[in-house]
């Protein structure tokens, strides 16, 4: 049985301030760097065979903490980037609600936002394609760790599992530096083995954007 670990990056100042990051290349802050180290010390016990990461620095620098422990090199895949949020990027959600009320209403009700915000369908397709590609980097029965982003992780996993949007919305947002463990076998296909696993944190969960 093969294993795929889908790992959200560590905390950033924009996470802390509840700003929409999207594909803006915001770096990890001090807390995020420590979270990456703490998480890597747990993930190394899973004996990863390969590490794949989004090329945005908050993800790649998170992956680097595991690479340092494992000695593995990191492969980069732009398809693992966060959802593109267009004009929302850099805004807080109250600012989005004020400037783009119709889009915000669709967002809160789980509908496609429209405008220049990437659709959930497109996001799920590109991230799941990257997850499939990453899974192929390990030998049969091996483990691949994929470092990505909150919305990208959830939508990509949902597409991979062929879950309807209504089911996917029942999942809580991944906390910073937490992960989803997926397993794959010929008989059962992809299955969720664990969700929102990671180092202890007592901080509120930032939005997955």
């Amino acid at each position: 049985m093969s294993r795929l670990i889908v790992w959200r990056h560590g905390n950033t100042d924009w996470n802390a301030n509840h700003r929409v990051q999207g594909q803006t290349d915001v770096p990890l802050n001090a807390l995020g760097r420590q979270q990456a180290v703490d998480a890597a010390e747990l993930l190394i016990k899973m004996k990863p065979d390969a590490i794949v990461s989004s090329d945005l620095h908050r993800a790649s620098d998170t992956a680097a903490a595991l690479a340092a422990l494992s000695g593995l090199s990191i492969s980069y895949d732009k398809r693992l980037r966060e959802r593109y949020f267009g004009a929302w990027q850099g805004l807080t959600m109250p600012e989005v609600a004020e400037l783009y009320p119709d889009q915000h209403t669709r967002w809160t009700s789980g509908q496609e936002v429209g405008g220049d915000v990437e659709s959930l369908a497109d996001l799920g397709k590109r991230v799941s394609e990257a997850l499939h590609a990453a899974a192929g980097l390990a030998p049969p029965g091996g483990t691949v760790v994929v470092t990505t982003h909150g919305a990208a992780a959830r939508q990509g996993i949902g597409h991979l599992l062929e879950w309807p949007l209504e089911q996917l919305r029942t999942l809580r947002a991944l906390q910073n530096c937490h992960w989803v463990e997926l397993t794959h076998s010929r008989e059962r296909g992809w299955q969720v083995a664990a969700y929102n696993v990671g180092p202890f944190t007592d901080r509120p969960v930032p939005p997955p954007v």
Side-chain angles (χ1 to χ4, degrees), residues 98-115:
E98 179 181 355
L99 294 170
Y100 307 100
D102 292 342
Q103 289 184 351
H104 186 263
T105 297
R106 291 194 290 270
W107 159 270
T108 56
S109 62
Q111 301 175 34
E112 293 288 8
V113 174

Side-chain angles (χ1 to χ4, degrees), residues 23 53-56 76-82 126 130:
Q23 295 188 7
S53 177
S54 157
D55 63 335
L56 297 179
Y76 300 98
D77 192 330
K78 292 182 179 180
R79 292 174 296 181
L80 293 169
R81 286 183 178 186
E82 182 58 291
R126 70 166 167 87

Side-chain angles (χ1 to χ4, degrees), residues 67-88:
L69 289 181
S70 64
L72 296 169
S73 60
I74 304 170
S75 299
Y76 300 98
D77 192 330
K78 292 182 179 180
R79 292 174 296 181
L80 293 169
R81 286 183 178 186
E82 182 58 291
R83 185 180 186 182
Y84 179 66
F85 280 93
W88 290 25

